[in-house]
Amino acid sequence: MNILILGLGSVGQRHLRNIKKTNPNAKIFALRKKYTTPLLNNKNIVIKGDIKKKYSITYLENLNEIIKNKINLHCAFVCTPSSMHVDQVIWLLKNNINCFVEKPLGSSLKNINYLEKLLKKKNKVKTMMGFQLRFNPIINFLEKIIKKKSPVGKILSIHIHHGEHIEDFHPYEDYRISYAANKELGGGVVLTQIHEIDYFMFLFKDYLIEKSNFITSKVSDLKINVEDNMYATFMLKKNKHRISCSMLLNFYERPKKRKIFIIGKYGSIEACLNSQKLTIYKNKRKIIKKFIFSKNDIFLKEIKFFFSKIKSNQKIPDDLNLYNGVKTLRFALKLNKFKL
């Protein structure tokens, strides 16, 4: 396979490692705006070596070199800052190149309507969003609980919490220059932690959002020009069933916390995405369910899924492709009215 990677920061290098693991003979092409990120391992720790030499990468100066040099690409991975995604995806679609796009799809609604029209026109091109938590066994388990029968009875309320300090994201770089810290690159807690918004929409896709309220603000002394926290509440409705839901995202919490709390008629459930443990409290009993997998396992699952659809020439479902990316981005941007 001939594969293009746009951007070789931490997530670009993760996909690069996984591509080589799943397709060792793949020919890698890459386009980088900056060459500042060093060679990293799966834990984002700097290791000795040169990325280009280690993976036999052919660097390109611009996308037009693909056409000029008649490079037959099987797919591309878009791993650049969020603000660059939409324009790059439009170019790839116009040139019939299957594309995997890291979250979020973009940082504004600019050219989104045009992109949607292009997706319909180029419906044979395979696209996929990099929402790897869709392949997380805990999220899959919670989907079954919400969709079918909850072990704690009728679900009454849910709280989603994701707090992690921005300085801990990429220990190898100054957080102040990272995309997450800069508005012009598509940063901010809402778009950076959009995974929570995506799986919220996925878990409750059969529910109507009856009411919603939200606050985005900057309360820390972090040197960033974007929001560092978001708090939202939703009232969900399905027939006569109502669920109250809250969501808290922040850029300043230590130790990091990533949990989902479910309160039902007969008990409660606490799912921790960091410890990979789910605890069910019912009838004064505590049942612990452990999920054993590495962080990289779910990244591997998603690209294996992507490659399988390319090789079998099968459509990627709309809840995983760029149609979902558009839907999630639109919803996320509605939740963020922050101005510095």
Side-chain angles (χ1 to χ4, degrees), residues 1 3 14-15 17-24 75 77 100 126 128-130 132 135 294 296-314 316 320:
M1 296 181 80
I3 300 172
R14 182 179 292 279
H15 289 311
R17 291 190 298 269
N18 288 338
I19 288 166
K20 280 297 189 179
K21 189 175 290 187
T22 56
N23 294 271
C75 62
F77 283 72
F100 180 105
K126 309 291 184 295
M128 185 167 170
M129 282 301 306
Q132 77 274 3
F135 295 84
S294 71
N296 196 55
D297 286 342
I298 57 177
F299 282 92
L300 273 170
K301 279 185 180 180
E302 68 173 352
I303 71 161
K304 284 180 179 179
F305 179 86
F306 178 58
F307 287 141
S308 72
K309 295 302 182 183
I310 291 174
K311 291 174 182 177
S312 63
N313 195 28
Q314 292 181 320
I316 294 174
L320 288 172

Side-chain angles (χ1 to χ4, degrees), residues 10 175 181:
S10 63
Y175 80 90

Side-chain angles (χ1 to χ4, degrees), residues 31-193:
L31 182 60
R32 307 180 76 182
K33 186 177 181 181
K34 296 180 180 179
Y35 290 76
T36 54
T37 306
L39 182 63
L40 305 170
N41 65 14
N42 265 348
K43 296 183 178 179
N44 277 343
I45 296 172
V46 178
I47 56 176
K48 289 184 179 181
D50 179 79
I51 301 173
K52 184 178 181 180
K53 290 180 180 178
K54 182 175 178 63
Y55 298 104
S56 301
I57 299 171
T58 299
Y59 282 140
L60 304 175
E61 292 293 325
N62 54 63
L63 287 171
N64 290 327
E65 277 193 62
I66 296 166
I67 307 302
K68 181 181 177 182
N69 297 325
K70 298 180 179 179
I71 301 171
N72 180 29
L73 290 175
H74 293 89
C75 62
F77 283 72
V78 180
C79 307
T80 47
S82 311
S83 59
M84 302 170 68
H85 288 183
V86 172
D87 289 342
Q88 291 172 336
V89 169
I90 286 172
W91 190 95
L92 293 167
L93 287 174
K94 282 183 174 179
N95 288 279
N96 301 307
I97 299 171
N98 302 312
C99 52
F100 180 105
V101 186
E102 260 308 318
K103 61 82 187 171
L105 177 58
S107 58
S108 73
L109 294 180
K110 183 181 178 182
N111 290 330
I112 287 294
N113 288 338
Y114 177 70
L115 175 59
E116 283 188 296
K117 291 177 182 177
L118 195 58
L119 284 170
K120 291 178 182 177
K121 183 179 178 181
K122 299 287 186 176
N123 57 22
K124 291 185 179 180
V125 179
K126 309 291 184 295
T127 68
M128 185 167 170
M129 282 301 306
F131 287 123
Q132 77 274 3
L133 289 188
R134 295 291 196 89
F135 295 84
N136 185 309
I138 299 175
I139 298 298
N140 299 152
F141 184 83
L142 290 177
E143 182 200 12
K144 293 176 183 177
I145 284 177
I146 293 167
K147 194 172 183 179
K148 295 181 181 179
K149 190 175 181 180
S150 164
V152 293
K154 181 181 178 182
I155 295 173
L156 304 173
S157 63
I158 289 183
H159 174 63
I160 295 169
H161 186 116
H162 183 191
E164 188 170 357
H165 204 289
I166 191 173
E167 287 188 89
D168 302 332
F169 289 1
H170 300 152
Y172 58 85
E173 71 176 355
D174 185 335
Y175 80 90
R176 293 171 296 182
I177 65 171
S178 68
Y179 90 90
N182 291 279
K183 183 178 180 180
E184 63 273 17
L185 297 178
V189 77
V190 174
L191 292 180
T192 303
Q193 295 182 350

